Amino acid sequence: MSEKLSFVNPTANSPWGTYLQQVDRVIPYLGDLARWAETLKRPKRALIVDVPIEMDDGRIAHYEGYRVQHNMSRGPGKGGVRFHPDVTLEEVMALSAWMTVKTAAVNLPYGGAKGGIRVDPKKLSQKELEKITRRYTSEIGIIIGPHTDIPAPDVNTNGQIMAWMMDTYSMNTGGTSTGVVTGKPLHLGGSLGRVKATGRGVFVTGREAARRLGLDLRGARIAVQGFGNVGSVAAELFVEAGAKVVAVQDHTGTIVNPDGLDLNTLIPISRTPAGAAGFEGGDKIPNEQFWDVPCDILIPAALEGQITAERARKTAARLVLEGANGPTVPEADDILAERGVLVVPDVICNAGGVTVSYFEWVQDFSSFFWDEDEINVRLDRIMMNALHQIWDTADKHKISLRTATYAVACERILMARQERGLYP
Ligand code: NAD
């Protein structure tokens, strides 16, 4: 009945193409709610904005920005903002849709949204970064707000950028609107535990999955792709639990050490322009060899589409923990399943970040802030409850954890859709 969207042209392995296949796989498990499933295959609202700024040398530069609200049936839109030279509308659409599924999977009262600017922020001065952030926030200000759509950090964005976004929105609307973004610095209404929340969620779900597989974390070998907020924190927590990180890849290169990389030295270096490639305590190998490194647990924590069919055939890992959004293409998913490799999917594995973002938003509205123990106890409880429910669904229908997560989440989303009814 419905026409295909005209403004994207997804391929089988592109982010939106991947997402559409993930939705198709869950439809047989939705019962009567399947009649509403088409709503999952199109964003509610997509805004493209021009972001012009004056550069330090006086030139005027224009950048393309996006904010997509995929679905708001269960609550306001929620999702990060990515600054990256390869960002496209199609990618932001997929990321916004994965947020819809994720917030429903952990049962937070949110829909899904995402934003981005097509820019390499590493080429901007701090002043230019502030200008691009503020102009972008002002342009998308017509659709974001503490009760409508709440941005957060993603790749190449951080607490300082959230502070500028909060300030810009507040300047435009009057007052101080701390609840308009999450992932803010602590003295601007940020939450304890937010910076580490996503990596912590990856660890908590990974620890549980390892337990079910009978994989002892003590001595387990971990390979991490993407060593930013998500990858480095997850790596630290696994090392605390007795595992060793044998390979790390970031945008500067790949380093390996079968005896374990020293994170105390590696993490600070990876945050400098030299990146992980500047670390001396391991051997540098060509990037493609990262996928051959002997390991027990693989954590993709960089960008989408990284685990291709070919790489899925190569990996020695028994467990894949999707810290990144959309790192595994559908064909690779099937190959991993055939090979008996367990995948904890992004929409549950990396949901720790949005969960503590929710805590931050609740604390901002109540102007009452919790201590870090309380945050972490609540985070662990939400993640474990969600994971167990998903695991039961997977066992019941004999389906992958990914399809089970979609089944649990899509039922919640489409039930809300049905109960609200179609307007007008
Ligand atoms: P970040 O900017 O802190 O780190 C990104 C890392 O990926 C960096 O180490 C960078 O060097 C590396 N990288 C970039 N391009 C690469 C390439 N081509 N090959 C290898 N490495 C590359 O970002 P982040 O916040 O850690 O986000 C990482 C992933 O986790 C993204 O997919 C993001 O959507 C997802 N995620 C983040 C959060 C969050 O709270 N930050 C929450 C959920 C999911």
Side-chain angles (χ1 to χ4, degrees):
M1 290 283 284
S2 312
E3 295 290 329
K4 277 197 173 154
L5 298 177
S6 66
F7 51 90
V8 282
N9 194 11
T11 61
N13 290 340
S14 68
W16 185 250
T18 294
Y19 167 74
L20 291 179
Q21 291 170 76
Q22 290 165 343
V23 171
D24 281 336
R25 288 176 179 204
V26 79
I27 288 176
Y29 304 96
L30 294 178
D32 293 344
L33 287 172
R35 78 183 269 262
W36 294 94
E38 182 64 24
T39 197
L40 298 168
K41 295 188 172 185
R42 40 193 72 226
K44 173 183 174 64
R45 198 174 278 136
L47 180 64
I48 304 177
V49 295
D50 177 35
V51 187
I53 58 165
E54 185 178 0
M55 308 296 276
D56 293 347
D57 63 6
R59 281 178 305 130
I60 308 292
H62 290 253
Y63 298 93
E64 198 167 299
Y66 315 92
R67 185 73 189 170
V68 176
Q69 296 169 343
H70 172 259
N71 189 290
M72 294 158 102
S73 296
R74 303 178 61 258
K78 186 87 192 83
V81 173
R82 177 174 294 192
F83 288 0
H84 195 281
D86 299 334
V87 166
T88 61
L89 174 63
E90 195 212 301
E91 180 187 43
V92 177
M93 278 169 58
L95 291 165
S96 71
W98 285 321
M99 288 308 298
T100 303
V101 177
K102 193 180 305 180
T103 54
V106 281
N107 213 1
L108 304 178
Y110 288 135
K114 201 85 179 191
I117 307 180
R118 200 170 162 78
V119 62
D120 184 352
K122 294 183 175 69
K123 294 190 177 147
L124 299 181
S125 70
Q126 191 74 350
K127 198 69 218 157
E128 291 164 345
L129 189 62
E130 179 173 349
K131 282 183 187 171
I132 201 171
T133 303
R134 288 186 179 279
R135 181 62 189 252
Y136 167 73
T137 308
S138 211
E139 293 295 337
I140 65 166
I142 51 175
I143 61 168
I144 63 168
H147 297 285
T148 47
D149 180 0
I150 306 118
D154 190 72
V155 174
N156 290 331
T157 55
N158 55 25
Q160 175 61 72
I161 288 171
M162 294 307 113
W164 290 328
M165 290 188 75
M166 186 278 270
D167 183 68
T168 305
Y169 182 85
S170 299
M171 290 296 113
N172 286 342
T173 53
T176 295
S177 195
T178 53
V180 68
V181 290
T182 57
K184 300 179 295 294
L186 278 183
H187 29 272
L188 288 179
S191 175
L192 290 165
R194 173 61 186 90
V195 172
K196 296 201 163 187
T198 308
R200 189 179 169 86
V202 172
F203 171 71
V204 169
T205 53
R207 183 187 57 197
E208 182 61 14
R211 194 180 64 75
R212 291 202 182 212
L213 279 179
L215 174 63
D216 192 349
L217 286 185
R218 282 165 305 172
R221 298 160 303 170
I222 317 242
V224 188
Q225 188 208 32
F227 210 58
N229 177 270
V230 179
S232 68
V233 171
E236 270 182 315
L237 291 170
F238 276 106
V239 168
E240 270 174 36
K244 54 185 179 178
V245 175
V246 294
V248 163
Q249 180 180 98
D250 73 359
H251 69 287
T252 62
T254 305
I255 45 159
V256 293
N257 185 338
D259 297 325
L261 296 157
D262 173 20
L263 298 192
N264 291 330
T265 322
L266 172 57
I267 290 177
I269 290 175
S270 70
R271 289 181 185 147
T272 68
F279 178 67
E280 304 287 340
D283 294 327
K284 289 180 192 60
I285 59 168
N287 279 339
E288 196 51 35
Q289 284 178 21
F290 170 82
W291 308 97
D292 302 316
V293 170
C295 66
D296 303 296
I297 301 177
L298 173 64
I299 307 181
L303 300 170
E304 306 89 57
Q306 294 299 302
I307 306 188
T308 57
E310 191 191 342
R311 291 170 179 174
R313 282 189 203 98
K314 288 204 267 194
T315 183
R318 293 171 61 195
L319 179 59
V320 175
L321 305 176
E322 293 188 338
N325 287 305
T328 310
V329 304
E331 193 189 352
D333 233 356
D334 294 339
I335 293 166
L336 291 171
E338 278 161 25
R339 295 188 57 218
V341 181
L342 181 66
V343 178
V344 182
D346 48 5
V347 278
I348 177 72
C349 191
N350 70 34
V354 71
T355 302
V356 176
S357 273
Y358 167 59
F359 297 162
E360 179 176 335
W361 184 72
V362 168
Q363 292 170 86
D364 286 340
F365 276 114
S366 59
S367 298
F368 180 77
F369 290 85
W370 314 342
D371 64 34
E372 193 158 359
D373 282 348
E374 188 167 358
I375 305 271
N376 287 339
V377 167
R378 286 178 190 259
L379 170 63
D380 292 3
R381 193 188 306 140
I382 288 180
M383 296 294 289
M384 289 297 283
N385 285 346
L387 189 65
H388 285 137
Q389 185 179 9
I390 287 158
W391 221 299
D392 290 347
T393 305
D395 288 347
K396 184 173 152 202
H397 296 294
K398 305 214 175 337
I399 51 179
S400 69
L401 282 184
R402 189 184 315 279
T403 303
T405 310
Y406 275 67
V408 169
C410 294
E411 186 180 329
R412 288 187 181 132
I413 300 159
L414 299 181
M415 186 61 86
R417 191 80 208 78
Q418 179 168 275
E419 285 168 352
R420 286 178 68 155
L422 269 189
Y423 173 88

